[in-house]
Amino acid sequence: MNVLAEPSARAKRFRRVLIANRGEIAVRIIRACRDLGIETVQVYSDADRDSLAVRLADRAVCIGPPRSSESYLNARFIVSAALVHGVDAIHPGYGFLSENAGFAELCEKEGVVFIGPSARVISLMGDKAMARRMAEEAGVPTTPGSRGTVESPTQAREIAREIGYPVLLKAAAGGGGRGMRVVHDPADLDTQFGDASREAKAAFGDGSIYVEKFLTRVRHIEIQILSDGETVLHLGERDCSAQRRNQKLLEESPSPALTEDMRAQIGDAAVRLCRHVGYRSAGTIECILDDASGRFYFMEMNTRVQVEHPVTECVTGIDIVKEQIRIAQGEPLRIAQADVRIHGHAIECRINAEDAARNFAPCPGTVREFHAPGGPGVRVDSHLFSGYRIPPYYDSLVAKLVVWGASREEAIARMRRALGEMRVEGVTTTIPFHLSLLDDPHFARGEIHTRFVEERLLETK
């Protein structure tokens, strides 16, 4: 990484950071802080009392019982813990309160730095309908759909008639596949609208829905962004097309589908949108790529660090979490766009404690033995250890297995080797599923889309 600028006079180095998250991302943030010479305070629920993050942090404080609503989603408890322990900043990780504008605003009010964008930008881009409008203003292509949220099935039906079926109903306030329904038949729209709205209300506290054209056999492409408020960089793309029910299973960078010209176009569009909204921090612009037409469309923005950020780190050599912390300290970015180089190919498999043979049913329990793979080009981000008990209350992600290779073919070969070496005894994981995915000849050729896993790998089993 070329150093282009020293920290500004207004930069204030953090002495202590609180991590408002759990699992592998909490461990990842603790390690980044330690590299930067920053003390860490780890909050935890009763279920995570013996977690690796608690063991690694300089300090740890219990903030409530296992239920997320009473612990990791309790903004006031978390900020109170930050004030008691004299922290300079809070890192929210991903999920939980990471994209909660109210939490960011509370941090700002109490004089604690929120390691992320401002509450204003989180609110602006967190409303998916408003984010579409911002993209349109910035000249970024968007799929045909409603200009904002729709108030009723009747209004949704009018828009669907105009843009044509199938259509996608999406929660305006959320993501991760919740509050999302594909409607192929007009007769199903009323029921699907109600189901999507209720699910969105339960998941995000907001049942607002917007409508867009549903494109089939598309790729999910996302662009990693870093911005210090003045300079905006893109760090290339990630292809996240290997999904099940809108949940990502495997990610890779670069995408095997993009030409250099298309890569530049998507990157420039992402930078343009971030400049338009005044973005500052790490973030991700998510798009869909229509293979048939070769056109891409803005989908949404994630105003936080992504689960799959390691694949970008592997091909660029840039530590995204550390840069995120430096930006929050007031430091300018130390690189320019011309310094960003994509080298080789990286793949990430999300290892979940789930049984793919039983419709990916969660499999919490005690890990009798954990062995992480190693060797050239292998990275494991995990909070597992032998004897650890995976609690049933949270997301089932237990490890991110990431490999790098000089080519996509070498990366696939290394991933096969690493999956074969990895041992998680005592619970069922998705390792066998990932091996079957890598063995599929269509995946090997890079010929996948967002429905590929469900249509080819799961429908035939």
Side-chain angles (χ1 to χ4, degrees), residues 264-404:
Q265 288 183 46
I266 297 180
D268 289 346
V271 168
R272 198 160 60 244
L273 176 55
C274 288
R275 286 201 178 112
H276 181 66
V277 300
Y279 196 81
R280 179 175 177 271
S281 190
T284 300
I285 303 295
E286 302 206 0
C287 302
I288 55 175
L289 174 67
D290 183 10
D291 272 344
S293 65
R295 300 182 64 183
F296 71 92
Y297 303 94
F298 170 79
M299 185 166 55
E300 63 185 35
M301 182 175 192
N302 291 308
T303 56
R304 52 171 168 79
V305 68
Q306 291 279 91
V307 175
E308 58 273 19
H309 74 274
V311 293
T312 298
E313 293 183 330
C314 286
V315 295
T316 62
I318 296 171
D319 190 315
I320 293 169
V321 176
K322 285 166 66 174
E323 291 304 316
Q324 189 183 24
I325 294 170
R326 289 189 177 112
I327 291 169
Q329 289 181 152
E331 297 183 34
L333 285 167
R334 304 172 300 156
I335 56 174
Q337 189 66 60
D339 299 306
V340 178
R341 294 284 187 270
I342 307 299
H343 177 57
H345 199 95
I347 300 174
E348 173 182 291
C349 286
R350 298 191 187 195
I351 309 301
N352 293 333
E354 297 174 351
D355 187 349
R358 294 194 300 120
N359 199 30
F360 290 82
C363 297
T366 300
V367 178
R368 294 196 305 269
E369 180 183 352
F370 173 63
H371 172 74
V378 177
R379 165 178 169 176
V380 180
D381 283 17
S382 178
H383 58 290
L384 292 187
F385 56 85
S386 297
Y388 173 67
R389 183 180 179 278
I390 301 171
Y393 311 102
Y394 313 113
D395 186 272
S396 56
L397 178 69
V398 293
K400 298 184 314 198
L401 178 55
V402 191
V403 301
W404 177 91

Side-chain angles (χ1 to χ4, degrees), residues 83-329:
L83 296 175
V84 168
H85 288 272
V87 307
D88 302 300
I90 293 177
H91 198 305
Y94 54 72
F96 293 129
L97 294 169
S98 62
E99 294 181 284
N100 186 300
F103 180 55
E105 189 173 20
L106 180 61
C107 290
E108 294 168 9
K109 179 182 177 183
E110 296 295 342
V112 179
V113 175
F114 177 81
I115 300 178
S118 68
R120 180 193 68 82
V121 171
I122 292 174
S123 180
L124 185 68
M125 301 309 287
D127 183 321
K128 308 306 181 188
M130 181 59 72
R132 278 173 56 90
R133 185 175 301 174
M134 292 296 102
E136 290 168 1
E137 290 179 4
V140 178
T142 61
T143 52
S146 58
R147 290 281 298 173
T149 57
V150 295
E151 303 301 324
S152 66
T154 300
Q155 187 181 358
R157 194 178 302 110
E158 292 173 358
I159 295 167
R161 188 182 304 114
E162 180 181 331
I163 64 178
Y165 287 87
V167 297
L168 188 62
L169 307 178
K170 296 181 72 174
R178 289 171 293 182
M180 184 183 296
R181 297 291 188 278
V182 178
V183 183
H184 295 272
D185 189 330
D188 298 330
L189 192 142
D190 285 27
T191 299
Q192 296 280 48
F193 186 95
D195 290 346
S197 182
R198 282 189 292 272
E199 185 176 63
K201 179 69 175 178
F204 313 115
D206 184 346
S208 301
I209 298 293
Y210 69 99
V211 182
E212 64 182 30
K213 177 69 176 175
F214 180 69
L215 300 174
T216 59
R217 300 196 180 281
V218 296
R219 286 181 180 267
H220 183 135
I221 305 292
E222 60 186 32
I223 306 295
Q224 177 67 55
I225 290 292
L226 282 178
S227 174
D228 61 12
E230 298 290 335
T231 301
V232 184
L233 306 177
H234 74 82
L235 308 185
E237 83 282 356
R238 297 184 287 258
D239 194 318
C240 308
S241 302
Q243 303 179 5
R244 171 185 171 271
R245 295 183 179 177
N246 303 303
Q247 297 292 318
K248 300 167 188 173
L249 302 168
L250 176 150
E251 303 93 0
E252 58 183 312
S253 181
S255 169
L258 293 191
T259 63
E260 286 301 320
D261 181 60
M262 181 64 72
R263 180 169 292 114
Q265 288 183 46
I266 297 180
D268 289 346
V271 168
R272 198 160 60 244
L273 176 55
C274 288
R275 286 201 178 112
H276 181 66
V277 300
Y279 196 81
R280 179 175 177 271
S281 190
T284 300
I285 303 295
E286 302 206 0
C287 302
I288 55 175
L289 174 67
D290 183 10
D291 272 344
S293 65
R295 300 182 64 183
F296 71 92
Y297 303 94
F298 170 79
M299 185 166 55
E300 63 185 35
M301 182 175 192
N302 291 308
T303 56
R304 52 171 168 79
V305 68
Q306 291 279 91
V307 175
E308 58 273 19
H309 74 274
V311 293
T312 298
E313 293 183 330
C314 286
V315 295
T316 62
I318 296 171
D319 190 315
I320 293 169
V321 176
K322 285 166 66 174
E323 291 304 316
Q324 189 183 24
I325 294 170
R326 289 189 177 112
I327 291 169
Q329 289 181 152

